[in-house]
Amino acid sequence: MLSLKLPDKEMALSMNICILISVCSPFSCEIIMFDRYPSVYPFGESIVSFECEDIWFSSEKENKNASLEIQLRRNANDNWTTVVESNRSSVFRKSENTLFSFTILSVRVRERQYDQRVTLTGLIQSKQCTVDPKISPDLRCVLSDESRIIDSSETRILSIEGRTPGNMTDISIVPQILFQDKDEIYFEEDDVLQLQCIAEVENINGLPSKDIRWCKNESGKFQKLSLQHPPLTSIVSRSKDGCSVVQKSVIFYHILQNDTDVDLMCESGYSGTCGKSGINLTISIPTANTNKDKWRVSPIVIHDRESVLNKNLIKLNGAGKTIYLLCTASTLFQQESLQNKMNWCFKRQVNETWTKISPQEKKVEVVSNSSGETTIFSRIKYHVTVLDRDIFFLCEIYRYSRCGSGLAHATTNISIGGETLTNEIKEGFKYVELQKRLEPDCSKAGVAVVSVILVSIVVIAFLFLVVLFRRKEIKFRGFVLRINREEKVSIDAAAKTKALPASQAIKK
């Protein structure tokens, strides 16, 4: 049995990597563990130990034919080579002492009734932190017996820790050209800012092991910043030996309603609480008066039981459709509960006056968070029919019950008709038009009656005149209508008689 004093035990226990594989059957269970300690080490010379252990829990007798092997390969494309093999009877060294950048110093074996352990200790020499991909050796632990072979996941031999970050060059809002021509600038709620930070970061094998972290000042203490999207990171530069890596981190921050002169920090080489260790830089973002007491109402959402609807194309089911309208309002401060002060109003024409809706179903929920923000969710159920074309909706936090006088509001409209009219709506309108045609039209009937009366009057008058001219006299209940045609004829005859002698005299 070969042995050598291991590295400091306290260091080994505090920094190690463990790979554990368990294999169980109804009557036994076996665990294979593969440890490396320390997990990382600086460039130069370091002593590293790899420990392979087989532990079994069985109702059967111990397996005396089982063996443990620690195998090594030069890179991912090479075959595995057994470095050390151990069984219940002996230990075998099957390779040279020097394997690439790893020199074997000792092999130690511990055997007990229900476990077996092989510890391989070696010296790793590295002149730089970067690893040549052609020489990137791995180790693994293999258990074998008469009926099976079980291997653990491989672990890299090289895990070289770079230099501690000591340089941070920049934290800024980009692009800077937006602010060059302005003496003062203030950001408002919902503005989105792009910020970047450039600094050295912790690294292993020449690659970042811990990215730049962003924090925000909350009530005098910096807390880890919560972002919608994780920071975008990229390597700016790397030293020749690969032990110093400079990283750029980019985030997008949107101004909140309660932001007042925001302080943001980026840091590197940190551990635990923001700002307590490592290096950091801070930037202050000036904000305009965000008016914390102001109510804000989000756009109205229209949906049914299955999905959000397109307000420009509401498809009806037969004679109509039930839709839901959701309105959300929020504020950072309120003196009284406004849970029941959410108005819903509607109108059918742009120039009409808003009319309050009395919905069949209305739900209201109020939610408050630790920062003092109060949010009201109000949802109503509304029925759209084939007779509707355009409907405008208003949701508001109101001070008075009259529509349109609220502290804050949101509006939307839905359209049913025109080119987007669906077959169901068309059928509905056809039915309505048919009903209209079957019903009597009062205006047309009146014109017809008047026309009949006028024609009757004209016919009666004509017949009366014909009878009068023929009979020359008509008597009706004491009234006498007479035409004196004889007098007129006699006058004409007399005139003709008097004129005859003169004409005859001329002829003679």
Side-chain angles (χ1 to χ4, degrees), residues 254-499:
H254 76 272
I255 303 298
L256 305 177
Q257 184 177 353
N258 58 344
D259 280 342
T260 303
D261 296 332
V262 183
D263 291 330
L264 298 181
M265 171 195 292
C266 66
E267 60 179 358
S268 180
Y270 53 85
S271 62
T273 308
C274 289
K276 295 297 183 180
S277 60
I279 55 177
N280 61 71
L281 287 175
T282 304
I283 186 172
S284 294
I285 302 173
T287 57
N289 181 14
T290 52
N291 194 0
K292 297 181 179 181
D293 300 345
K294 184 179 179 181
W295 279 93
R296 289 165 174 80
V297 181
S298 301
I300 298 172
V301 178
I302 304 172
H303 65 96
D304 57 15
R305 290 185 176 274
E306 298 178 353
S307 62
V308 176
L309 300 176
N310 179 1
K311 68 176 185 178
N312 296 319
L313 178 58
I314 304 296
K315 184 177 180 180
L316 303 188
N317 299 321
K321 183 181 182 67
T322 298
I323 63 174
Y324 298 87
L325 294 99
L326 176 63
C327 184
T328 306
S330 61
T331 185
L332 282 176
F333 176 78
Q334 62 173 0
Q335 296 180 349
E336 59 178 345
S337 174
L338 294 179
Q339 177 175 352
N340 298 320
K341 294 188 177 180
M342 182 78 81
N343 246 355
W344 283 96
C345 310
F346 82 103
K347 60 183 179 180
R348 301 186 185 279
Q349 299 293 334
V350 176
N351 299 327
E352 286 184 358
T353 303
W354 291 106
T355 302
K356 191 171 182 179
I357 299 176
S358 298
Q360 291 181 342
E361 180 180 319
K362 179 180 180 181
K363 293 184 178 181
V364 178
E365 291 185 9
V366 180
V367 178
S368 298
N369 58 24
S370 58
S371 63
E373 182 178 14
T374 299
T375 304
I376 299 178
F377 300 92
S378 177
R379 190 184 76 172
I380 65 170
K381 182 186 292 187
Y382 191 88
H383 307 291
V384 181
T385 69
V386 294
L387 300 181
D388 293 319
R389 291 299 182 98
D390 295 302
I391 307 176
F392 298 83
F393 294 100
L394 168 72
C395 167
E396 64 178 354
I397 294 290
Y398 70 92
R399 185 174 294 162
Y400 309 104
S401 59
R402 181 170 55 86
C403 289
S405 60
L407 300 174
H409 70 273
T411 60
T412 189
N413 68 288
I414 61 174
S415 297
I416 305 173
E419 296 180 356
T420 62
L421 201 62
T422 62
N423 292 332
E424 290 86 348
I425 302 175
K426 290 179 180 178
E427 292 298 326
F429 276 111
K430 287 180 181 179
Y431 175 77
V432 173
E433 292 297 327
L434 178 61
Q435 291 295 108
K436 289 183 178 180
R437 287 196 294 267
L438 294 177
E439 294 175 358
D441 192 326
C442 294
S443 59
K444 293 181 179 179
V447 172
V449 171
V450 172
S451 300
V452 171
I453 294 174
L454 291 176
V455 172
S456 300
I457 293 174
V458 171
V459 171
I460 294 172
F462 177 76
L463 294 175
F464 178 79
L465 292 175
V466 170
V467 171
L468 180 61
F469 274 98
R470 287 185 176 182
R471 298 182 60 179
K472 298 180 182 180
E473 182 180 285
I474 297 177
K475 294 181 179 181
F476 181 75
R477 292 188 178 185
F479 294 94
V480 178
L481 293 177
R482 180 184 299 114
I483 297 179
N484 193 359
R485 293 183 61 190
E486 296 178 355
E487 181 179 354
K488 185 177 181 181
V489 173
S490 61
I491 294 174
D492 292 340
K496 291 180 180 179
T497 305
K498 292 179 180 180

Side-chain angles (χ1 to χ4, degrees), residues 26-45:
F27 303 101
S28 65
C29 190
E30 195 161 4
I31 299 175
I32 302 174
M33 294 189 299
F34 192 34
D35 292 350
R36 181 188 69 200
Y37 48 88
S39 59
V40 295
Y41 39 84
F43 72 99
E45 291 188 354

Side-chain angles (χ1 to χ4, degrees), residues 61-91:
K61 294 182 179 180
E62 58 182 300
N63 187 357
K64 295 183 178 181
N65 296 321
S67 66
L68 280 177
E69 297 180 16
I70 296 180
Q71 297 182 343
L72 180 144
R73 67 179 178 184
R74 181 184 178 91
N75 55 50
N77 297 321
D78 280 2
N79 296 323
W80 290 98
T81 302
T82 300
V83 179
V84 177
E85 180 182 357
S86 171
N87 54 36
R88 288 292 181 179
S89 58
S90 60
V91 177

